[in-house]
Amino acid sequence: MPSTSEGGPVAVQAHRQGAVGSVHDSVRDREISVEQEHLDRVYRRLEEKIHEAEFLMQDAARRGQVGTPGALAERDAQVFRAGVHLNRLNNEFEDFLFGRIDLLTGKDGKKGPDGAYTAVEPAEGAVRPDSTADIAETLHIGRIGVLDQDYTPLVIDWRAPAAAPFYRSTPVDPGRVVRRRVIRSKGRQVLGVEDDLMRPELTAYLDGDELPVIGDGALMAALGQARSHTMRDIVASIQAEQDLVIRAPAASVTYVEGGPGTGKTAVALHRAAYLLYQDRRRYAGGILIVSPTPLLVAYTEGVLPSLGEEGQVAIRAIGSLVEGSEATLYDSPSVARAKGSSRMLRVLRKAARGALELNDPPARLRVVAFGRRLELEARELDGIRRSALGGTAPVNLLRPRARKLLLDALWEQSGAAGRHSDPELAAELRSSFDEDITSEDAFIAFLDAWWPELTPAAVLDAMADERRLGRWARRILNPGEVRKVARSLKREGRSVHDIALLDELQAVLGAPARPRRKRELDPLDQLTGLEELMPMREESQRERAERLAQERVEYAHVIVDEAQDLTPMQWRMVGRRGRHATWTVVGDPAQSSWSDPDEAAEARDEALGTRPRRRFELTVNYRNPAEIAELAGKVLALAMPGSVSPKAVRSTGVEPRFTVVEDTLGATVRDEAARLLERVEGTVGVVVAMQRREEARRWLAGLGDRVVALGSLEAKGLEYDATVVVSPAEIADESPAGLRVLYVALTRATQQLTVVSADRDEPDAAGVPDLLRD
Ligand SMILES: Nc1ncnc2c1ncn2[C@@H]1O[C@H](COP(=O)(O)OP(=O)(O)OP(=O)(O)O)[C@@H](O)[C@H]1O
C-alpha cells in the first residue's frame, strides 16, 4: 500500500481512511451496479439521440427531392447539424462517463444552463447540528454533456462550470461536495469506483441510506498504473491546483512553473481542450502547442482526441515549426549556444544583405533608352545598393526600391530630365523611359542577377562557408564560434537550432510575392445556404488552418511546453506565431538545458510583450515516488542551490539501485534494462549522454519494444515505469547546463530507477556516483 505525503491534494487520503475503514465487497458490488444503472440510462438516451440524428439526415435527404430553394437550404442545415451530432456521439461513445459528485443543498436555488444548481457554497442549515446532512444533488461528469428528455442533466461536460467542484473541492475547502467518485468504465460496462470523501466529519444520507465510500481514491489508482508509450488524459483525477490553471481565463499570459512530474504537460493539454469548449469559434484550429521534441509530440498526441478534441490543436515540435521542416539533429552545446543566442540576429541580417552578392553579380549595367546607350559602373551600382538597403526592411521586398533607384540614376544620365518644363509632359516622358528600360531583356536579366530573390535556405547554406560567415559575423561571433557554426551548417540535414534561423531569415528576407493558389474544392461548398444558417461555417476549420498556414501561421492561443528550454532565437520564432495571441507558458527553470537562462528570459519577455501575466505554481510531483525524488533532489541542490523540489505524492518502498560497470558498459546497461523489464509491466527508458544515443540503441537490440534508448535531451517531458540512467558524470559534463539535464534524466521514472556508474563517476563502495552522494 503506497504511503502518502502530507498536505494539498493528498490530504484527501488521510482523512478518508480514518473516517471510513474497510468496505465489504458486497457494498462495492452494489455501488458498481448503481453506477451501471445510470450508465445504462445514459446509453439509452444516447441511442435515442443517435436515432434522432439519423432520422434528421434521412428526412433532410427526402426533402432535398422536393426542391424549393427554402427546403434545400433547410435540408442543408439539417444535414450539417445532424452530421456533426452523429459524429460527436459516435466518436465519444467509449468511456465517457467517469465522475460523480454528491452535493449538499446550495445557498440559492438557481440552476445553470447545464441543468445543475449553481451555488458553490452550502446553504445555511445544510449540515445539521449533529453533523448529519442529506445529499441534495448528484451530478455525473463525463466527456460530453447529455440531458434527459425533461432537461435534467444525465451527464455534465467536464469543462462546464457545474463540473468545476469535481476538480476544485478539497477537504480543506470542500464547498458543497461531500463525496467525489471516479467511475472506471469500458464501453458500456462499469468496472469499478474509487471515492474520496471531502467532508469526512459528516454522516451524510442519500435517499435515507448512509453514503458509502469505496476504494483508495482515484489519484493513487491512476498513478500506480503501468505506463505505455502514450500519455493518458487525467480528466478523472485533475487536482485542485491544476484545475485553477486549466480553467484560468484566457486573457493575456498564463504562466505556470512547477518541478518535474507536477503535471505541467498534462495541464497544458487539458487547458487546450478547456479553451476550445469555452470559445470554440475563437479557438478551433487556432491553438498551437509547442513541444521540445518529436518524441514528446508523439507521446502526448492521443490526449486531446481522448478529450473529444480531434484535429483542433496543432502540436508541433520546436524543430518542426517552419512549414516543411522536421529537424531532429542536435548541435553540440557550443554550436547550439551560438545559434540560439540573440547575437545571431545581427549575423543573419548581415548575411541576408551579403547574400545578394553570392553569385558574382554583374559589375556594370548597360541599356539603350531613347536611342542612347546608358551605363552604370560598379561604384555607382554599389552606391545604389547601399542606399536601397538602408534601414531594416526585408531584403526581398526592397527589390522594387532598388529597381526604382537604378531607373532614377539612368534617367539622370540620359539628360532627358530637363527636356520639358510642363510637369505633366515631364511625367509622361519619364514613364515611357521607365517602360522602355524595364521591358528590355538586358535590364531584366541584370536585375535578376544583381538583386536575386533570396530564400532562407540559400542564405543559411551560404553561411556554411567559413570565410564568408567570418565576414558577416565580424565582431559578433568569435573565430572559434564561426568555425564551428560554419562546419555544422555543412552537414547533411538541419538541426533543431537551424529551424529558428530559417524562420528568422524568412522574416529578414520577406516572402517574395507568390501567385495565389487556387482553392481546392470543399465538398461543403455545395451545401447552398449553409453560411447564412450556420454562421460558424463562415470559414471551415480546414480553410482556417490553411489560411493560417499561408499567412505565416498566427494562432489565437499559443501554449509553450518546457518553456525553460527555448533559446532566444526560438522565442523569436514562437513569438511570431502569436503576435496577437493569448498565451499559456509552462516550464521549470531547474530543468533548463539552455546555458544562459537570463538571455532566454529577455527574449521570452520580448515575445510575450507587455501583456500582464498571471502566475501559477504546481507543487506536487505525481510521477516519481519519494525515493527517486529524494535522489534527484541532490542534483537539484547542485544545479540550482536553494530551489525547492516538488513534493512526491507517494512512495513505493523501492530505493534506487546503483551498479558499476563490470565487463563493458553496454553489457551492464543491457543486463540492468533486462532486469527492470522483468520487474515492471510497462515501459523502460535508458537515458545516456547525447553522444551515446546510437550506441545505446545497439546495446538494447532484441529486448523488445517496451524498452527504448534516449539521449539526455530527448528525455524531456517523457516518462517510463523504470529508467536506467547511464553515467551521471558523462551527462553532467556534456554541456554547461549538464547538471540540469541530469536532473531531468533522474526524474523520468514512475516506479524504479537504476543508476549505472562508469569510472568517470567515481563511484563509492556501494556504487553511488560522486554526484549523487550526500
Ligand atoms: N491529477 C493527476 N491525476 C493523475 N495523474 C496525474 C495528475 N497530474 C499529473 N499526473 C501524471 O503525472 C505524470 C507527470 O505529468 P506531466 O508529464 O504532465 O508532468 P510535467 O510537470 O510536465 O513533468 P516534466 O517537467 O518532468 O516534464 C504523468 O503521468 C501524468 O499523467
Side-chain angles (χ1 to χ4, degrees):
M1 157 79 63
S3 68
T4 57
S5 50
E6 292 160 23
V10 192
V12 176
Q13 303 301 313
H15 283 270
R16 199 193 54 71
Q17 281 165 6
V20 183
S22 68
V23 191
H24 197 273
D25 273 355
S26 66
V27 183
R28 178 185 292 272
D29 291 345
R30 200 185 65 219
E31 288 303 297
I32 289 176
S33 67
V34 166
E35 300 308 345
Q36 183 67 57
E37 253 170 54
H38 188 77
L39 191 61
D40 292 344
R41 204 167 141 207
V42 171
Y43 268 99
R44 278 198 298 278
R45 182 68 186 139
L46 277 172
E47 272 161 9
E48 275 170 31
K49 295 301 290 178
I50 286 191
H51 286 146
E52 254 173 52
E54 276 166 354
F55 173 79
L56 277 177
M57 296 266 273
Q58 285 161 8
D59 179 55
R62 264 199 305 277
R63 251 192 263 190
Q65 288 151 16
V66 180
T68 67
L72 277 176
E74 197 181 322
R75 180 210 61 176
D76 293 339
Q78 274 192 8
V79 168
F80 183 72
R81 248 185 258 138
V84 169
H85 249 46
L86 255 182
N87 249 340
R88 279 204 87 183
L89 293 179
N90 284 329
N91 277 345
E92 292 159 34
F93 225 48
E94 280 278 305
D95 171 34
F96 66 81
L97 176 72
F98 55 78
R100 161 181 173 155
I101 36 181
D102 294 279
L103 303 137
L104 300 173
T105 313
K107 254 190 177 140
D108 61 26
K110 288 194 199 117
K111 282 188 177 179
D114 38 27
Y117 288 99
T118 53
V120 175
E121 291 305 322
E124 241 170 74
V127 177
R128 291 184 282 267
D130 63 352
S131 289
T132 63
D134 292 323
I135 298 300
E137 189 183 24
T138 292
L139 296 179
H140 281 86
I141 320 291
R143 290 171 198 267
I144 57 168
V146 182
L147 293 173
D148 212 348
Q149 266 147 339
D150 61 358
Y151 290 91
T152 52
L154 288 177
V155 184
I156 304 261
D157 189 303
W158 69 278
R159 296 164 289 193
F166 179 76
Y167 302 111
R168 294 268 169 98
S169 169
T170 64
V172 178
D173 188 7
R176 287 165 63 210
V177 182
V178 176
R179 181 183 68 176
R180 177 173 63 197
R181 164 167 289 177
V182 170
I183 301 165
R184 239 173 351 105
S185 64
K186 193 161 172 41
R188 294 180 176 225
Q189 205 187 346
V190 175
L191 301 175
V193 294
E194 300 283 344
D195 290 337
D196 289 316
L197 257 197
M198 297 299 144
R199 289 174 173 268
E201 74 286 0
L202 278 192
T203 308
Y205 294 95
L206 177 64
D207 300 332
D209 291 329
E210 196 174 323
L211 198 69
V213 180
I214 312 288
D216 285 330
L219 179 64
M220 288 303 145
L223 298 182
Q225 277 178 19
R227 297 308 200 260
S228 69
H229 290 301
T230 53
M231 190 177 201
R232 275 187 289 258
D233 67 67
I234 60 166
V235 71
S237 53
I238 293 168
Q239 299 297 295
E241 66 176 14
Q242 299 174 325
D243 195 59
L244 285 176
V245 177
I246 293 171
R247 290 173 202 259
S252 60
V253 180
T254 305
Y255 192 82
V256 188
E257 280 191 2
T262 52
K264 296 182 297 298
T265 301
V267 161
L269 291 162
H270 288 69
R271 178 157 173 76
Y274 175 76
L275 292 176
L276 282 165
Y277 173 82
Q278 281 293 299
D279 195 344
R280 190 164 296 278
R281 255 187 103 169
R282 175 161 176 208
Y283 291 117
I287 299 184
L288 169 69
I289 301 185
V290 182
S291 206
T293 63
L295 285 175
L296 191 57
V297 172
Y299 177 64
T300 54
E301 237 162 17
V303 173
L304 279 161
S306 81
L307 297 174
E309 297 298 353
E310 191 110 36
Q312 304 288 5
V313 177
I315 309 183
R316 306 282 280 270
I318 190 87
S320 309
L321 266 189
V322 168
E323 275 315 303
S325 63
E326 265 180 43
T328 48
L329 296 176
Y330 284 88
D331 289 303
S332 69
S334 56
V335 172
R337 188 187 149 87
K339 285 186 184 171
S341 155
S342 47
R343 288 179 295 156
M344 212 60 199
L345 179 58
R346 283 189 286 146
V347 178
L348 295 177
R349 285 195 183 133
K350 291 210 170 156
R353 281 160 160 69
L356 284 174
E357 295 174 22
L358 271 182
N359 300 322
D360 290 336
R364 80 166 47 111
L365 165 63
R366 278 202 188 124
V367 284
V368 178
F370 293 170
R372 258 195 79 183
R373 260 179 69 150
L374 302 170
E375 194 169 309
L376 296 176
E377 295 293 338
R379 204 174 35 81
E380 289 164 289
L381 289 173
D382 273 355
I384 291 174
R385 192 195 289 285
R386 263 199 308 280
S387 85
L389 282 174
T392 53
V395 176
N396 282 331
L397 306 188
L398 288 174
R399 190 173 137 115
R401 181 166 159 201
R403 181 172 166 276
K404 162 97 177 32
L405 291 175
L406 287 174
L407 290 170
D408 284 351
L410 293 168
W411 172 249
E412 178 115 332
Q413 203 179 88
S414 75
R419 214 174 284 170
H420 289 290
S421 53
D422 178 61
E424 226 170 88
L425 283 176
E428 219 170 273
L429 190 68
R430 170 69 200 257
S431 122
S432 72
F433 175 85
D434 287 1
E435 219 169 275
D436 242 24
I437 291 184
T438 52
S439 56
E440 217 181 287
D441 286 347
F443 183 79
I444 297 170
F446 170 86
L447 196 60
D448 281 345
W450 185 71
W451 203 288
E453 214 154 67
L454 295 170
T455 63
V459 178
L460 202 61
D461 289 343
M463 288 166 57
D465 182 302
E466 189 182 330
R467 285 226 330 260
R468 213 182 275 139
L469 181 62
R471 253 195 340 270
W472 294 335
R474 188 172 303 140
R475 288 204 284 270
I476 305 172
L477 302 182
N478 67 40
E481 288 174 319
V482 168
R483 189 170 354 102
K484 285 183 196 160
V485 169
R487 202 184 306 147
S488 82
L489 290 172
K490 272 209 186 82
R491 152 192 74 183
E492 187 88 1
R494 301 283 184 213
S495 78
V496 172
H497 292 284
D498 291 339
I499 302 306
L501 302 187
L502 284 176
D503 197 64
E504 191 72 48
L505 278 169
Q506 180 76 51
V508 171
L509 293 171
R514 250 185 280 158
R516 275 183 79 81
R517 262 197 297 152
K518 263 187 36 204
R519 247 182 67 194
E520 274 172 37
L521 194 66
D522 179 349
L524 286 176
D525 281 350
Q526 291 159 343
L527 301 185
T528 52
L530 209 57
E531 264 74 352
E532 292 76 13
L533 288 159
M534 305 281 298
M536 268 176 58
R537 275 278 307 128
E538 274 164 10
E539 189 176 38
S540 77
Q541 275 157 31
R542 211 192 62 209
E543 284 162 358
R544 183 174 157 81
E546 272 178 14
R547 183 171 62 74
L548 288 174
Q550 275 172 11
E551 289 172 4
R552 294 215 12 81
V553 205
E554 283 237 23
Y555 291 86
H557 192 86
V558 181
I559 298 180
V560 186
D561 193 9
E562 307 282 353
Q564 75 282 350
D565 277 338
L566 264 59
T567 66
M569 292 308 285
Q570 288 171 339
W571 269 116
R572 292 178 61 83
M573 168 170 65
V574 175
R576 278 190 282 274
R577 279 147 183 81
R579 270 179 290 216
H580 309 289
T582 51
W583 292 72
T584 301
V585 177
V586 309
D588 177 13
Q591 295 183 63
S592 168
S593 49
W594 175 245
S595 49
D596 188 347
D598 291 342
E599 197 194 11
E602 219 171 273
R604 177 200 62 206
D605 291 346
E606 204 170 298
L608 300 179
T610 51
R611 300 171 179 90
R613 287 181 210 178
R614 231 172 224 262
R615 295 185 79 92
F616 294 87
E617 203 183 335
L618 298 177
T619 57
V620 179
N621 178 351
Y622 298 101
R623 178 188 299 131
N624 310 127
E627 295 80 359
I628 294 176
E630 195 191 325
L631 184 73
K634 293 181 184 165
V635 174
L636 178 65
L638 294 175
M640 289 192 89
S643 55
V644 181
S645 306
K647 196 181 288 181
V649 80
R650 67 203 164 105
S651 87
T652 51
V654 182
E655 292 294 335
R657 174 181 154 90
F658 298 96
T659 47
V660 178
V661 175
E662 276 183 12
D663 188 2
T664 62
L665 182 62
T668 309
V669 171
R670 187 184 166 87
D671 286 352
E672 291 302 325
R675 182 181 165 279
L676 288 171
L677 280 170
E678 279 174 16
R679 281 172 171 70
V680 298
E681 259 178 60
T683 51
V684 174
V686 174
V687 189
V688 296
M690 287 301 281
Q691 79 228 17
R692 284 199 194 272
R693 272 200 294 180
E694 296 308 322
E695 199 183 340
R697 274 168 205 151
R698 289 195 294 276
W699 296 341
L700 303 178
L703 287 183
D705 61 5
R706 280 201 295 135
V707 60
V708 285
L710 302 149
S712 56
L713 295 178
E714 294 171 314
K716 279 273 145 83
L718 298 174
E719 68 182 23
Y720 301 88
D721 279 5
T723 55
V724 180
V725 173
V726 180
S727 188
E730 205 168 84
I731 294 175
D733 290 348
E734 223 176 8
S735 73
L739 276 173
R740 298 195 294 263
V741 178
L742 174 61
Y743 179 56
V744 174
L746 289 169
T747 50
R748 298 303 102 195
T750 65
Q751 292 178 34
Q752 301 200 25
L753 165 67
T754 298
V755 178
V756 174
S757 304
D759 285 351
R760 198 155 147 190
D761 293 289
E762 299 171 32
D764 65 10
V768 182
D770 180 39
L771 276 172
L772 301 181
R773 288 202 285 271
D774 286 322

